[in-house]
Amino acid sequence: MRHHDHGTPSAPGQPPAVWTGRAHNRGQWVLAVAGAACLALGVDLAVDSPWGSGLAPLLMSVIGCVAAGLLMLFGTLAFVHVAVRVDDEVLEIRCGHMGLPRRRIPLADVVHADVARKVTPCQWGGWGYRWRPDKGTAVVVRRGEGVVVRLGDGRVFTVTVDDAEAAVRVIRDRLRLIAARTSQV
């Protein structure tokens, strides 16, 4: 599902006051269901223990199922979708329904923004909040287009979002306005 709001209206020739965009990955729900199943298996093992071979193997199985279930459930629900917001000062990325993890990048720290046409989990080593020494940091919730920003300290941040071109256009407009303000001072 695509959702983007090109922002609240502003003066003609000005970028929108706020740009928002989202990206969704409905496939993450499958992993969340698998996590819930592992959690349920752990609870079932704890309540209705069919094992007669001792407490240690049972305890390890219960803890393993519950831990795996919780990790899968919460780890996948955090990356079912991402919301991106650009205003006058900040690029903000919020993940999942609770908005965590969240990343705020001051636009004053951004030196360049570009569109990545094809971001894949294979490039980043999986879904979610990722870091690779040769590529920087990314939030990858689905395959497809994304926004790539280069910061003044050399770090790079990538986020998958629908209508990445509009986001990049707004960020670049903001960077021009910031540069114009600082040159007038």
Side-chain angles (χ1 to χ4, degrees):
M1 176 180 148
R2 287 183 177 264
H3 166 79
H4 35 265
D5 172 16
H6 294 288
T8 54
S10 56
Q14 295 288 328
V18 176
W19 182 92
T20 59
R22 295 182 183 274
H24 297 273
N25 184 343
R26 305 233 190 282
Q28 292 286 84
W29 286 107
V30 173
L31 294 174
V33 169
C38 283
L39 185 60
L41 177 61
V43 170
D44 186 52
L45 285 173
V47 172
D48 186 25
S49 172
W51 297 16
S53 61
L55 184 61
L58 173 63
L59 192 56
M60 289 178 67
S61 296
V62 168
I63 291 171
C65 286
V66 169
L70 287 173
L71 282 173
M72 287 176 69
L73 186 61
F74 292 111
T76 56
L77 288 179
F79 298 102
V80 168
H81 71 85
V82 64
V84 177
R85 182 178 189 274
V86 181
D87 64 23
D88 287 338
E89 298 178 2
V90 175
L91 165 65
E92 182 178 60
I93 299 96
R94 292 175 164 254
C95 302
H97 296 289
M98 295 187 337
L100 296 172
R102 178 176 71 162
R103 175 88 186 258
R104 292 175 53 87
I105 301 172
L107 293 179
D109 295 348
V110 175
V111 294
H112 184 69
D114 210 352
V115 176
R117 298 284 173 210
K118 190 171 183 179
V119 179
T120 68
C122 292
Q123 296 167 333
W124 289 95
W127 305 105
Y129 204 101
R130 314 304 287 182
W131 178 78
R132 297 213 23 207
D134 57 328
K135 296 177 77 85
T137 306
V139 174
V140 181
V141 297
R142 53 113 174 102
R143 299 174 204 270
E145 64 184 324
V147 174
V148 180
V149 293
R150 182 169 302 280
L151 307 179
D153 61 6
R155 291 181 296 157
V156 177
F157 187 83
T158 303
V159 58
T160 53
V161 65
D162 294 337
D163 202 6
E165 281 189 35
V168 167
R169 195 169 39 253
V170 169
I171 293 168
R172 288 177 179 170
D173 288 344
R174 293 279 194 270
L175 295 178
R176 280 192 286 278
L177 290 172
I178 291 169
R181 278 195 304 248
T182 56
S183 69
Q184 291 175 355
V185 175

